[in-house]
Amino acid sequence: MTAQLAPGRRVRVRLDWPETRGPCHIRTPYYVRGQEGVIHRALGRFRNPEKLAFARPAEELALYHVRFDLRRIWPEADADLLVELFESWLEAA
Amino acid sequence: MILGDLDERDMLKGLRALLAEQGIANAAEIAERIAATDAANPGQGAAMVARAWTDREFRALMLADGTKAAEAMGIPMRGLPPLGVLENVPGLHHLVVCTLCSCYPRAVLGYPPFWYKSAAYRAKAVRTPRALLREFGTELARDVAIRVVDSTADYRWMVLPERPAGTDGWDAARLAAIVREGDMIGVTVPSV
């Protein structure tokens, strides 16, 4: 997703496991992959850490605070959650 | 050659020489950063919190741009990740964790407490946050929602706790003395 995402927009974190395809550096926790959340706010643009980690040319990506209901991930959680996620991991929900 | 066989002092010397040669960081800059890192401590964050409690304009700046607010307090932030500030309000309490590793607002809080990097803290924070708070002696009212903030990328996060009752008329220095490291991570709340 490349257009700026407005607060309140529903998104889904891509259900993807690059770890299974070779060496990588991922800032998207396992437990939110495939989960639906809501854009909380835009945090700015930062260089793609997945490339920076390997000293490769790294483009800037939009970073968002995405809000999740933790109870939908773990019923006992009783909280909500903010996670910083790059636009490359978000798809329309 | 196996890297593990090299003397670590030789490796460090080589790395420093390369950083200087490639114009990335010279000896003086490295020394400056080491000094700033060692000098950072929770008292700096506490001073920011106390000022936010007593200075409306500073509070607004701190919530809008934590890095600028830290710099306004004389804390060196150059070249460091942006600082985000999470405002606790009646009915909403923030708890900071880094489930991936150990991201921590070192510039304003210093080195993280030992438990912050533990697998147990990281797992409990996202899975049973209310019970985790209880382990720290923090019993939130049932109607206070918990918002866990998993620090996963470019920001570093600190909590701006609520000013406790019974502190009317206190000046910033007296207020700063009651703000602990855990209050700014969100495992505890300030009290008098």
Side-chain angles (χ1 to χ4, degrees), chain A residues 31 76 78 80 82 84, chain B residues 127 130 148 150 152 155 157:
Chain A
Y31 68 90
E76 67 272 32
D78 185 24
D80 69 8
L82 292 179
E84 288 153 83
Chain B
R127 193 155 180 168
R130 205 171 285 270
V148 180
D150 191 355
T152 50
Y155 272 74
W157 300 99

Side-chain angles (χ1 to χ4, degrees), chain B residues 178-192:
Chain B
I178 61 164
V179 180
R180 297 161 298 175
E181 177 181 58
D183 304 339
M184 295 175 282
I185 299 170
V187 292
T188 52
V189 293
S191 60
V192 291

Side-chain angles (χ1 to χ4, degrees), chain B residues 119-145:
Chain B
Y121 176 76
R122 287 149 59 193
K124 289 176 181 180
V126 287
R127 193 155 180 168
T128 52
R130 205 171 285 270
L132 172 73
L133 290 183
R134 243 176 256 128
E135 287 188 50
F136 281 90
T138 306
E139 186 76 50
L140 295 179
R142 288 308 303 182
D143 60 354
V144 176

Side-chain angles (χ1 to χ4, degrees), chain B residues 42-67:
Chain B
Q44 295 173 304
M48 291 175 70
V49 168
R51 185 164 169 197
W53 284 346
T54 53
D55 177 341
R56 194 184 296 268
E57 248 175 65
F58 182 81
R59 183 186 188 92
L61 172 66
M62 187 166 159
L63 293 172
D65 189 332
T67 297

Side-chain angles (χ1 to χ4, degrees), chain B residues 28-113:
Chain B
E29 287 167 333
I30 292 170
E32 184 194 326
R33 178 56 57 84
I34 290 172
T37 303
D38 284 344
N41 68 84
Q44 295 173 304
M48 291 175 70
V49 168
R51 185 164 169 197
W53 284 346
T54 53
D55 177 341
R56 194 184 296 268
E57 248 175 65
F58 182 81
R59 183 186 188 92
L61 172 66
M62 187 166 159
L63 293 172
D65 189 332
T67 297
K68 278 189 187 152
E71 284 173 340
M73 300 286 290
I75 301 166
M77 301 295 285
R78 188 172 59 89
L80 298 179
L83 175 67
V85 178
L86 305 155
E87 182 185 27
N88 281 355
V89 293
L92 180 63
H93 178 89
H94 291 87
L95 173 69
V96 179
V97 63
C98 174
T99 61
L100 295 177
C101 47
S102 56
C103 296
Y104 191 74
R106 290 170 187 240
V108 290
L109 298 189
Y111 294 109

